[in-house]
Amino acid sequence: MEQETAEPPIIRSVGVDGMLVSFADRLSEPANRAALALSAALEREAWDGVEEVSSSLVSSFVRFDPLYLSHAGLREKLELLVESRDWRAAALPGGRRLWHIPTVFGTELAPQLGQAAEAAGMSEAEAIASLSGARVRVQAIGFAPGQPYLGELPAPWDIPRQSNLTKRIPEGALAVAIRQMVLFSVSTPTGWQHVGQTAIRLFQPEAEQPFLLRPGDEAQFTPVDAETLESMRRDPHGGAESEPIR
Amino acid sequence: MSRALTIGRIGPGVTLQDEGRAGYLGFGLSRGGAADRLALAEGAALLGQGRDLAVLEMAGMGGDFTAGADLRIALTGAPMQATLDGAALAWNASHAMPKGAVLSIGGARMGSYGYLHVGGGFDAPKRLGARGAHLAAGLGAPLEQGARLDTGAETGDQTGLTLDPGERFGGGTIRMVESFQTALFPQDQVERFTATEFRRGARGNRMGVPLEQEGAGFTLEGGRNVLSDVVVPGDIQMTGDGTPYVLLAECQTTGGYPRIGTVLPCDMPRLVQAGPGAPLRFAFVTLDEAVELEREAARHVETMGKRLSPLLRDPQRMGDLLSYDLISGVSAGDTHKH
């Protein structure tokens, strides 16, 4: 994975009205840092014809009006900006927070802990210790509203997604695959393995801040029992607490 | 007097829609909005108003609606059986709907999504900048019997006009560009994909529609370990079992299933409107060709108002003719009072 950090970012089109700058084809800390920083810079640039910027795990995405700004024109602007500095060495976004999120690991609330632990070559107890001990970063918000991709987990968690979709994973589910965790903001079908359950509500459309987590935030999942979790459901944050990262 | 439309009987997939919510991709919320964006433009042209107003999107089946005031309506998208107080009503047309009249919209004769537009648009509180329901995100919900839909301030008076919707309800060849992940697929899989005639699956929803065929699925080595990256509407993703899904307005914003291509925005209305079982083929065009096709499509929308024509009275359809007369009679009078 290390040699990728030396590769130049690649710029590719997405559909007819999108352009993607990718810093790697596998997840790495520097590539994620670079994507976050470049996306923030693109927001500040606010080029004419650019309609929206977002950040994924290792890429920055630009949606634009190709009838107003040509692909060649946008590519040239992107190349200049990308070459203007070392994005992989950029600072993380400001105002980051560390979230402590109460989580039930395993039991009928999170029925795939056993199979995920086995795939990672661990006992269930080892898996809980490993997952709850990991301090992970919100590498991107995506898939569903407010939903974080969290990583990076220790190497044994490089397990594939399932080929058969789980029909419905509940809101607040914590799931693993490919050294990452996803904390689900909506109930949805998924190929990720359901190892934990939280009471957090990541998307609250009526709240002043509808999206709870931000890219760059960090999280740690504290084991609790089902009864404790149930008592936290009345709290809009599901018992989760945050502290600023200095 | 309330300028509202009250819902009687209602199909299961009727939602308020508009142009959706742009600007939240970075927060994981896709734009959403009407499945068939062209229908938004057609309704706006028929009623001589903005394309940003909210409309009713009806998935496969409509409902009964009672007017609380003299209203103007337009019907676009998938043609559905429609009557006003029992008299047949032309689709792809604008009509006057007098106070107390009952509009009855049945099943789609072809296509997938029909649209009901009102003069002034439907008025509902905006959430995150738009009125449309985003079912996947839990914003809004399908409409239910007894609901009352307020309408916005009326700004026009034209009715009795029609617009040719073009051939977009029976499937056909859909144009796409290469995705940034097309190269992950072996060449022979890509060739087989473009050589295959698919049928639009019956299970589709506003997030995506499956493409069905008899042959083997489209799989690639290591497909389950692809890093999640940005997803856009029109992406054709291969799920784990090799079934292609075309992603629509309410799709996820990022995803890990590899994409073999991306449908052109200007061909999305035809893809979305292909009814269950309709034949679909896919053909690559270059990025330059795609931009030119988008330019033509934008021109088509901008000039739509010039292609309006009065509803014709077809002597073959005397029953309908009476209803047209009744309706245009109302529209010729002073319908614009409130």
Side-chain angles (χ1 to χ4, degrees), chain A residues 187-227:
Chain A
S187 175
T188 178
T190 185
W192 294 63
Q193 307 201 40
H194 186 185
V195 296
Q197 184 63 44
T198 76
I200 201 165
R201 289 178 56 214
L202 297 163
F203 176 47
Q204 299 178 50
E206 313 303 341
E208 201 168 306
Q209 302 283 346
F211 306 97
L212 197 62
L213 302 184
R214 294 194 292 261
D217 281 357
E218 295 184 9
Q220 201 155 9
F221 294 89
T222 318
V224 294
D225 61 24
E227 201 179 333

Side-chain angles (χ1 to χ4, degrees), chain B residues 109-328:
Chain B
R109 294 200 298 263
M110 58 192 307
S112 290
Y113 292 98
Y115 292 85
L116 166 62
H117 314 252
V118 294
F122 289 103
D123 192 17
K126 286 190 177 179
R127 300 172 85 193
L128 294 173
R131 298 185 171 88
H134 192 306
L135 302 178
L139 284 168
L143 294 166
E144 293 181 350
Q145 185 164 356
R148 237 190 48 163
L149 302 169
D150 288 325
T151 68
E154 181 62 280
T155 56
D157 58 5
Q158 68 189 44
T159 53
L161 295 171
T162 184
L163 193 56
D164 179 2
E167 299 281 329
R168 76 170 193 272
F169 306 108
T173 298
I174 304 291
R175 294 161 297 189
M176 59 179 174
V177 288
E178 286 197 352
S179 156
F180 63 97
Q181 292 178 330
T182 304
L184 295 175
F185 290 83
Q187 189 58 30
D188 62 325
Q189 297 271 344
V190 176
E191 281 166 15
R192 186 162 67 86
F193 185 82
T194 54
T196 300
E197 180 170 290
F198 296 94
R199 291 175 312 282
R200 185 222 202 258
R203 283 174 302 145
N205 56 29
R206 289 176 39 78
M207 296 176 76
V209 291
L211 301 174
E212 293 173 351
Q213 46 119 21
E214 309 304 330
F218 296 84
T219 52
L220 74 171
E221 205 68 25
R224 286 192 284 142
N225 290 309
V226 174
L227 191 64
S228 290
D229 214 322
V230 61
V231 163
V232 295
D235 271 359
I236 305 172
Q237 75 171 14
M238 295 299 164
T239 43
D241 67 356
T243 302
Y245 263 82
V246 188
L247 300 176
L248 307 183
E250 278 185 15
C251 67
Q252 63 273 34
T253 61
T254 58
Y257 287 121
R259 275 61 64 62
I260 200 167
T262 306
V263 174
L264 268 50
C266 64
D267 275 8
M268 286 300 281
R270 200 151 44 87
L271 179 108
V272 160
Q273 289 291 13
L280 290 166
R281 282 177 173 276
F282 294 85
F284 283 110
V285 297
T286 67
L287 206 46
D288 286 344
E289 288 167 336
V291 170
E292 258 339 283
L293 290 165
E294 288 302 318
R295 204 178 295 284
E296 275 170 40
R299 215 173 286 136
H300 173 82
V301 167
E302 292 309 324
T303 55
M304 205 169 254
K306 293 182 185 149
R307 289 191 302 278
L308 294 168
S309 55
L311 271 173
L312 289 179
R313 283 141 180 82
D314 181 355
Q316 305 277 305
R317 300 169 66 195
M318 284 301 291
D320 288 354
L321 187 144
L322 288 174
S323 65
Y324 292 159
D325 272 346
L326 174 67
I327 291 146
S328 57

Side-chain angles (χ1 to χ4, degrees), chain A residues 16-232:
Chain A
V16 184
D17 61 354
M19 203 85 90
L20 191 69
V21 182
S22 302
F23 288 91
D25 59 5
R26 287 187 63 85
L27 186 58
S28 73
E29 206 279 337
N32 179 239
R33 188 183 281 261
L36 293 178
L38 177 63
S39 297
L42 285 165
E43 293 271 10
R44 286 194 300 272
E45 293 282 337
W47 293 328
D48 244 14
V50 167
E51 301 187 327
E52 188 162 9
V53 174
S54 71
S55 182
S56 52
L57 294 167
V58 295
S59 314
S60 295
F61 175 63
V62 173
R63 187 172 64 82
F64 69 107
D65 179 357
L67 306 186
Y68 181 81
L69 173 60
S70 72
H71 283 83
L74 177 58
R75 183 179 288 270
E76 196 178 331
K77 282 169 165 297
L78 285 171
E79 281 168 356
L80 276 174
L81 182 62
V82 163
E83 285 161 14
S84 69
R85 58 180 287 196
D86 180 4
W87 296 97
R88 291 181 174 88
L92 284 164
R96 302 189 308 127
R97 298 157 298 174
L98 169 62
W99 291 85
H100 300 277
I101 305 174
T103 307
V104 174
F105 285 94
T107 79
E108 70 272 22
L109 288 180
Q112 291 173 310
L113 177 69
Q115 71 181 56
E118 196 181 334
M122 297 183 196
S123 69
E124 287 199 16
E126 287 166 345
I128 293 172
S130 172
L131 294 174
S132 64
R135 180 162 154 178
V136 287
R137 184 198 300 161
V138 177
Q139 298 161 315
I141 300 281
F143 187 82
Q147 184 165 303
Y149 289 86
L150 299 151
E152 180 172 43
L153 287 173
W157 293 105
D158 195 5
I159 61 176
R161 289 181 281 262
Q162 313 167 80
S163 55
N164 292 322
L165 291 185
T166 302
K167 274 219 179 72
R168 284 211 102 58
I169 198 165
E171 181 182 356
L174 182 66
V176 295
I178 51 171
R179 295 186 70 175
Q180 288 176 290
M181 295 196 272
V182 165
L183 185 54
F184 283 83
S185 68
V186 295
S187 175
T188 178
T190 185
W192 294 63
Q193 307 201 40
H194 186 185
V195 296
Q197 184 63 44
T198 76
I200 201 165
R201 289 178 56 214
L202 297 163
F203 176 47
Q204 299 178 50
E206 313 303 341
E208 201 168 306
Q209 302 283 346
F211 306 97
L212 197 62
L213 302 184
R214 294 194 292 261
D217 281 357
E218 295 184 9
Q220 201 155 9
F221 294 89
T222 318
V224 294
D225 61 24
E227 201 179 333
T228 309
L229 189 74
E230 194 52 44
S231 72
M232 289 169 166

